[in-house]
Amino acid sequence: MKKHYNTILSLLESCKTFGQLKQIHGLTITTTVVKNIIPLSRLIDFCTTAESRNLSYAKLVFSQIDQPSVYIWNCMIRGYSGGDKPYEALILCREMQRRGHMPDNFTFPFVLKACSICCDPDCGRCVHNCIVKTGFEVDVYASTGLLNMYASCGYMELAHKVFDEIPKWNVVAWTSLIAGLVNSNQASEAITVFKEMMHWNVEPNEITMVNVMVSCARTRDIETGKWAHNHIRQLGFDPFVSPVRFNVILATAILDMYAKCGSLKTARDLFDRMPLRNLVAWNSLIAAYSQYGRAKEALGLFFDMKTAGLEPDKATFLSIFDACATSGALALGQALHACVIKASIHEDTATGTALLDMYAKMGDLTSAQQVFNEVKNKDVMAWTSMIIGLAMHGRGEEALVIFKRMQETGTVIPDQITYIGVLCACSHLGLVEEGQRQFNSMTDVCGIVPTVEHYGCMVDLLSRAGRLEEAERFLEKMPAEPSVAIWGALLNGCEIYENVALADRLRSQMTELKQAFGSGVYVLLSNIYARAGRWEAVNLSRDLMKHKRVPKTLGCSSVETNFD
DNA sequence: ATAGGGTTAG
């Protein structure tokens, strides 16, 4: 009996595969070792660790144990918290308490992980209370778990509070806080926290630096990014210097930092030096080429990727559809549309949106609408892309119909971009009252603070309709300096409706500004004065250019070019 | 005997 017991324990020790485990389990039954808690614990441990997880088998063994120890409960909870049914971990934890076992310092990290994955901060709060009640709030693992739980549920104030109460901040606690800030779109705060961590002389590790790189990428802070890269080198784990144990995630994060900040040459160089490139690395560089207007190179890299044997995923398609749109590669776009359908991701919200956006930009609104109709869960961006696509192509009525349908869903709330499309549609249709109504409900009902673009749309709308005084009033209300396009829209109205007095006022206002104006504005002004026979004023308008030493090339608008 | 933080996208 004792001999069997020891044999089984040593067999379990060296057990590598699930097949072996089942044999050993059989052995415990035939040798009646089965009731002994230690081999059972080992069995459960094996079935609940990440590499060899088999939860149904673990559950089977578990159900045959009369009095599971806390260790066994913990293993089961660990297994579920890392599996595809994390809420089962929460149920098990409750069951464990019902059967008279209090969770311990090992239980909490697992349960909190389950709360994070389930995004269940209410449950997380209960666990928090339990941690306080059982006196484990001083445990660094429990606190870090809490910190992560709050951060991943978006409760950064609570995460901060937990962090502040940790007695001694180690690198993991700092990194958790940094990661939490990154995940809740507070990348610049993450950098601040990182600098504070350095101030406390806590040495960052690779995971810290991944988060720092992501923060620099998101904030386009290449200065800190370069500094951090250099620091990684000094710490001796720059994957591009010592690729012995190449950390592909850190390498990709560094690559992406340079890529997002527009240092495409450096990014490309690093990419070429990577001994191992995963899909994320390819996607990062493809996205950068696409976003920095180098569509041809994005497409080239995409084909290289296919040659290298990698299959594009959603992220790849997003960049590629954009690149197709800007380079006018309709045939390729259509072929990839077929690929997307084959991979059955055409119903995916982001993919569908990128696809419809591509068709809309190329003027194929029929296809754009078809794609739009097939998108399963249309979010704001899907609706907005469709609205802007229609508005851009002079199909304002349909744009407004789509907007109405969007409001009727009652679940999708328009954002500031949606309203740009809506106001643009009104402007092209000459629907002054409708445009004003929409502008008001945007601010009053939706609480959106209008940006320069929104005011620009209103100025454009009113100018086209000849309601120049109202347009001027909008100009005065603008939160920032009007863009060239807005001055242009108003001057355009002055020209059409022959309002020289307003043109005069605008000219003197514009002369006061530091901003540069292109020859378009000058031409407009000159025309207005010339038509009114005010030849002496034509020279005044020329001052607008002379003073600011503006090159005679046209500074065209963002508002106009995007939507006309 | 069990534990915490990581890369790409509109």
Side-chain angles (χ1 to χ4, degrees):
Chain A
M1 177 63 195
K2 183 76 183 161
K3 201 183 103 212
H4 286 146
Y5 179 81
N6 284 334
T7 313
I8 285 167
L9 272 192
S10 69
L11 280 171
L12 278 166
E13 197 81 57
S14 56
C15 176
K16 288 275 178 291
T17 68
F18 185 62
Q20 289 170 353
L21 184 88
K22 268 166 94 169
Q23 284 184 352
I24 303 166
H25 188 201
L27 217 53
T28 65
I29 297 164
T30 53
T31 56
T32 71
V33 172
V34 71
K35 289 284 170 199
N36 194 298
I37 199 86
I38 294 188
L40 280 173
S41 304
R42 287 272 164 83
L43 273 168
I44 298 268
D45 178 32
F46 186 90
C47 303
T48 53
T49 45
E51 312 82 55
S52 51
R53 191 185 297 129
N54 185 329
L55 293 181
S56 49
Y57 201 80
K59 203 175 164 189
L60 188 80
V61 178
F62 180 74
S63 67
Q64 290 160 2
I65 305 172
D66 298 329
Q67 290 293 325
S69 60
V70 175
Y71 173 81
I72 288 177
W73 282 105
N74 286 347
C75 285
M76 290 302 292
I77 294 168
R78 174 184 66 187
Y80 280 109
S81 72
D84 50 6
K85 286 188 247 170
Y87 49 88
E88 290 284 350
L90 307 176
I91 296 169
L92 265 178
C93 184
R94 208 164 299 151
E95 176 77 3
M96 165 185 174
Q97 284 168 273
R98 201 182 56 80
R99 287 172 64 178
H101 284 297
M102 279 311 273
D104 66 5
N105 54 320
F106 286 97
T107 321
F108 294 123
F110 302 139
V111 182
L112 288 167
K113 190 181 176 191
C115 293
S116 306
I117 298 167
C118 296
C119 212
D120 190 343
D122 294 331
C123 188
R125 265 224 107 103
C126 293
V127 179
H128 193 166
N129 288 334
C130 190
I131 289 174
V132 173
K133 234 188 308 182
T134 49
F136 282 111
E137 75 232 277
V138 290
D139 183 275
V140 68
Y141 286 91
S143 331
T144 316
L146 275 173
L147 166 53
N148 285 319
M149 183 275 298
Y150 283 127
S152 63
C153 295
Y155 288 72
M156 276 321 292
E157 302 90 67
L158 287 171
H160 259 115
K161 228 169 124 189
V162 172
F163 180 80
D164 288 339
E165 276 161 23
I166 294 176
K168 191 162 167 36
W169 296 320
N170 65 15
V171 63
V172 181
W174 281 105
T175 307
S176 294
L177 184 59
I178 293 168
L181 289 165
V182 172
N183 292 330
S184 47
N185 279 323
Q186 294 177 264
S188 53
E189 288 82 352
I191 293 174
T192 309
V193 169
F194 169 68
K195 288 176 179 162
E196 201 186 329
M197 168 186 159
M198 295 298 287
H199 187 76
W200 285 78
N201 287 322
V202 177
E203 188 168 291
N205 61 23
E206 289 163 285
I207 301 180
T208 320
M209 295 318 286
V210 167
N211 282 291
V212 172
M213 281 301 163
V214 173
S215 305
C216 295
R218 298 232 179 120
T219 53
R220 308 290 188 264
D221 182 355
I222 196 168
E223 287 314 308
T224 311
K226 276 181 179 167
W227 181 89
H229 186 184
N230 190 47
H231 195 68
I232 290 170
R233 217 169 290 146
Q234 278 168 20
L235 290 167
F237 51 75
D238 185 341
F240 298 104
V241 172
S242 54
V244 255
R245 45 175 244 298
F246 184 73
N247 183 334
V248 70
I249 297 182
L250 180 58
T252 310
I254 297 170
L255 160 78
D256 190 57
M257 187 279 293
Y258 286 108
K260 279 223 173 61
C261 293
S263 292
L264 294 182
K265 210 166 153 7
T266 308
R268 181 67 203 231
D269 178 52
L270 294 179
F271 179 81
D272 290 336
R273 282 164 47 200
M274 284 169 85
L276 194 111
R277 296 178 203 103
N278 59 16
L279 190 55
V280 180
W282 287 93
N283 285 346
S284 163
L285 199 54
I286 291 173
Y289 278 132
S290 173
Q291 274 159 19
Y292 281 96
R294 291 162 67 169
K296 288 276 182 302
E297 280 148 296
L299 295 176
L301 204 57
F302 172 67
F303 290 120
D304 293 345
M305 185 187 110
K306 298 271 279 185
T307 311
L310 278 105
E311 278 305 311
D313 69 352
K314 289 176 190 173
T316 325
F317 282 120
L318 290 187
S319 306
I320 287 302
F321 286 138
D322 204 36
C324 287
T326 40
S327 63
L330 181 61
L332 178 63
Q334 286 165 332
L336 293 174
H337 184 179
C339 291
V340 160
I341 293 172
K342 212 171 142 198
S344 62
I345 50 174
H346 60 294
E347 291 177 350
D348 171 72
T349 312
T351 313
T353 304
L355 194 48
L356 88 83
D357 193 57
M358 177 193 76
Y359 280 122
K361 279 181 180 147
M362 296 209 248
D364 183 353
L365 288 176
T366 313
S367 298
Q369 282 213 282
Q370 256 164 25
V371 173
F372 176 71
N373 293 338
E374 281 171 12
V375 173
K376 272 266 153 51
N377 301 305
K378 299 180 181 66
D379 62 2
V380 211
M381 282 182 268
W383 288 98
T384 301
S385 296
M386 195 66 242
I387 292 166
I388 291 182
L390 288 164
M392 251 172 32
H393 289 88
R395 291 166 64 167
E397 298 95 338
E398 290 156 88
L400 293 179
V401 170
I402 297 281
F403 179 57
K404 197 146 182 273
R405 269 178 52 204
M406 170 183 159
Q407 288 179 307
E408 281 161 5
T409 64
T411 49
V412 184
I413 311 297
D415 65 10
Q416 43 175 348
I417 316 287
T418 318
Y419 273 103
I420 300 229
V422 172
L423 296 178
C424 197
C426 294
S427 180
H428 288 297
L429 292 169
L431 298 173
V432 180
E433 272 70 34
E434 177 70 5
Q436 282 176 319
R437 203 176 61 78
Q438 295 293 359
F439 186 88
N440 291 335
S441 74
M442 169 179 89
T443 52
D444 301 343
V445 182
C446 300
I448 295 167
V449 179
T451 64
V452 176
E453 281 79 16
H454 296 107
Y455 282 103
C457 287
M458 292 310 288
V459 170
D460 189 51
L461 172 71
L462 293 162
S463 305
R464 282 172 194 247
R467 292 161 73 157
L468 297 174
E469 277 73 25
E470 287 166 81
E472 193 184 9
R473 250 173 278 143
F474 263 100
L475 192 80
E476 286 155 6
K477 278 190 288 187
M478 286 183 54
E481 258 181 34
S483 65
V484 180
I486 295 170
W487 292 108
L490 204 41
L491 285 173
N492 209 29
C494 292
E495 188 188 13
I496 296 167
Y497 296 97
E498 299 183 19
N499 190 333
V500 190
L502 176 56
D504 254 346
R505 284 200 295 279
L506 295 177
R507 183 190 46 74
S508 59
Q509 280 179 56
M510 288 162 79
T511 318
E512 299 294 308
L513 297 175
K514 283 201 192 73
Q515 197 191 334
F517 293 96
S519 49
V521 163
Y522 158 71
V523 171
L524 272 169
L525 266 173
S526 305
N527 288 348
I528 295 165
Y529 288 134
R531 265 173 76 181
R534 291 208 16 215
W535 301 107
E536 89 292 349
V538 173
N539 290 329
L540 281 178
S541 65
R542 177 171 282 145
D543 288 348
L544 257 186
M545 294 175 70
K546 255 199 308 201
H547 265 124
K548 303 176 205 293
R549 272 181 250 108
V550 174
K552 287 217 166 100
T553 46
L554 245 173
C556 218
S557 64
S558 56
V559 175
E560 289 291 311
T561 43
N562 278 342
F563 304 114
D564 260 342

